[in-house]
Amino acid sequence: SVWVVISMGVAVLIGMGIGVERELANHPAGMKTHALVCLGAAITTMISAEMCYSLMGNEMLDASSKVDMSRIASGVVSGIGFIGAGTIIITKRRQVKGLTTAAGLWTAASIGLAVGIGFYVGAFMTVIAAMLTFTLITSLEKFLNRKRRRMAIYLELEDVDAVSPMLEMLRTEYGLMEAQVTPPRSGTAPHVGMEILVQVPQKLSTSENLKRFADLPRVVFALRNI
């Protein structure tokens, strides 16, 4: 019917709209992925509704045999997590990437469900909110972090007793985000290695930031962790 064609077209356009920002930012899931997720969710909802309406008209079925429309929709919402998980990666610096893309896919699926049942007002309002989230909040994050940047650093400490005081100092004074104790790269006993992810001043160069950490108490040397 015309309603089915319109709904499918709306779902594709909405999905593409949400995926534009991800596409421009070179993230794993762009316009095609978001469009397909939104379209798939929409047609799944329409199938669910069609099954329900068809069986409701069959007087041979008892009440226990009726189809619950929410079952298929709930399956879409939970199942989209598998696709979203595929966009999440952990970099060599142990930074998690792709969470925003995964959340966008989940939102696209929910919008597709809304389109599938004809809830166009809610679908378009969600699209607007999603686009504002992608653009305005990203700009706000860049503004808030304009004076600082993340830096992965390897520290070699004198011994294991220096680990706890160093972690406390890094948390309170240097914006420690991640830390992992490793074997010493120099191979010197009783040295201990520590790989950290910290926020450093944007105005300082890489060498200047490394010198700050190399000059900390009980640090043997500091290297940029690639």
Side-chain angles (χ1 to χ4, degrees):
S1 65
V2 176
W3 174 74
V4 173
V5 174
I6 292 175
S7 296
M8 293 175 67
V10 169
V12 171
L13 291 175
I14 286 176
M16 290 177 62
I18 295 176
V20 166
E21 191 273 341
R22 300 284 89 188
E23 185 86 25
L24 295 176
N26 293 317
H27 285 279
M31 289 191 291
K32 289 186 293 185
T33 305
H34 282 80
L36 287 172
V37 167
C38 194
L39 175 62
I43 191 62
T44 300
T45 308
M46 288 187 280
I47 291 172
S48 178
E50 187 66 24
M51 290 173 60
C52 182
Y53 297 148
S54 297
L55 293 179
M56 285 179 62
N58 191 339
E59 300 299 332
M60 299 295 293
L61 298 174
D62 55 30
S64 62
S65 301
K66 302 302 183 183
V67 175
D68 182 1
M69 287 183 61
S70 65
R71 289 184 180 180
I72 296 181
S74 63
V76 171
V77 173
S78 59
I80 194 64
F82 290 98
I83 299 178
T87 68
I88 301 174
I89 61 173
I90 300 177
T91 66
K92 292 181 180 180
R93 298 181 182 179
R94 295 182 301 282
Q95 293 178 263
V96 179
K97 301 283 188 179
L99 289 175
T100 303
T101 301
L105 288 172
W106 187 84
T107 303
S110 300
I111 293 172
L113 294 175
V115 172
I117 62 173
F119 185 32
Y120 296 120
V121 174
F124 281 110
M125 289 180 66
T126 306
V127 170
I128 294 172
M131 295 304 295
L132 289 176
T133 300
F134 277 142
T135 55
L136 295 183
I137 296 183
T138 299
S139 299
L140 178 61
E141 288 177 338
K142 290 180 180 179
F143 175 78
L144 294 175
N145 295 322
R146 69 191 187 283
K147 294 183 178 180
R148 304 190 70 83
R149 60 186 172 91
R150 294 181 178 182
M151 187 173 179
I153 300 174
Y154 169 80
L155 301 178
E156 185 144 320
L157 309 180
E158 293 177 352
D159 51 48
V160 70
D161 293 333
V163 173
S164 294
M166 179 59 63
L167 286 173
E168 185 62 28
M169 180 187 299
L170 292 172
R171 289 193 189 99
T172 56
E173 299 182 24
Y174 293 91
L176 178 66
M177 304 175 70
E178 297 177 14
Q180 181 178 357
V181 177
T182 66
R185 296 186 182 180
S186 66
T188 304
H191 291 184
V192 176
M194 180 182 291
E195 296 179 356
I196 61 174
L197 182 64
V198 291
Q199 291 184 335
V200 297
Q202 186 74 35
K203 63 181 180 180
L204 297 181
S205 66
T206 298
S207 59
E208 289 173 328
N209 279 308
L210 287 176
K211 187 177 185 304
R212 292 173 65 222
F213 289 94
D215 292 338
L216 293 177
R218 307 186 73 176
V219 173
V220 181
F221 63 86
L223 299 173
R224 184 168 185 180
N225 197 25
I226 304 301

